Amino acid sequence: MAINLQVFADYCQIHVLDEDSETDLGEVWTEQALLDRLGVARDALVIGTEVNVHVAVSVDLLASEPDGDSTEFDHVVEASLHVPSGRLVVMGCTDYLPEAPRFEAPAGWIRVRASRGNLANAFRADIESDETPETTEQLRLQAWPAPPTDPQIIKRWSQPAA
């Protein structure tokens, strides 16, 4: 069962991390991470967004890997995440960590699939994109227990030419 949130994607980022993570996520933003819109550390991930406003986020913790449905989304990435605390945090990069939403997750390694949609509409609407559902960027986070493996770009979206 998915939990729906509105998360402020300040600096075009959503953070997904173990509750006890002390990782400096500024260090994961390599040129490749910016291109992939995915920054990966052992116990924290950064999902890049197209907009610097609120994004509609759904979080679904699963018992096993879900079926692939990347055709329904614009940009889909996966990465492994170590969650030793058993508590997963989802937040904007400038949110206050103690008040960020938390989710019970299996302690240990999980796989996170970030599927983003409605990107062209959100990109065109820019700073006003979160004013209507038709222009709001969508991010679905699915997580399930899995051994660590390399990050994967399942589907890549590119911004439209100006």
Side-chain angles (χ1 to χ4, degrees), residues 18 22 30 39 41 46 49 57-58 62 65-66 76-77 80 85-86 94 102 104 110 115 117 120 125 128 131 136-137:
D18 179 71
E22 294 183 5
T30 64
V46 179
T49 65
V57 178
S58 69
L62 307 166
E65 181 176 355
V76 182
V77 296
S80 295
S85 73
T94 57
R102 284 158 169 71
E104 296 295 325
I110 63 172
S115 303
E128 297 172 353
E131 293 181 8
T136 300
E137 182 171 339

Side-chain angles (χ1 to χ4, degrees), residues 1 10 22 31 35 45-46 56 63 80 82 89 91 126-128 138 143-144:
M1 177 167 153
D10 206 8
E22 294 183 5
E31 244 180 85
L35 177 66
L45 304 174
V46 179
S80 295
H82 194 233
V89 177
M91 60 187 279
D126 192 28
I127 198 153
E128 297 172 353
Q138 308 290 320
W144 63 93

Side-chain angles (χ1 to χ4, degrees), residues 94-137:
T94 57
D95 286 349
Y96 183 52
L97 179 62
E99 294 177 359
R102 284 158 169 71
F103 302 90
E104 296 295 325
W109 285 99
I110 63 172
R111 189 76 173 166
V112 177
R113 181 179 297 157
S115 303
R116 297 171 45 236
N118 205 29
L119 301 185
N121 289 336
F123 179 75
R124 278 192 297 277
D126 192 28
I127 198 153
E128 297 172 353
S129 67
D130 62 353
E131 293 181 8
T132 70
E134 294 78 27
T135 57
T136 300
E137 182 171 339

Side-chain angles (χ1 to χ4, degrees), residues 43-59:
D43 62 357
L45 304 174
V46 179
I47 310 300
T49 65
E50 296 309 308
V51 296
N52 189 37
V53 293
H54 285 92
V55 171
V57 178
S58 69
V59 179

Side-chain angles (χ1 to χ4, degrees), residues 54-72:
H54 285 92
V55 171
V57 178
S58 69
V59 179
D60 202 359
L61 299 172
L62 307 166
S64 61
E65 181 176 355
D67 292 334
D69 60 358
S70 63
T71 57
E72 297 177 26

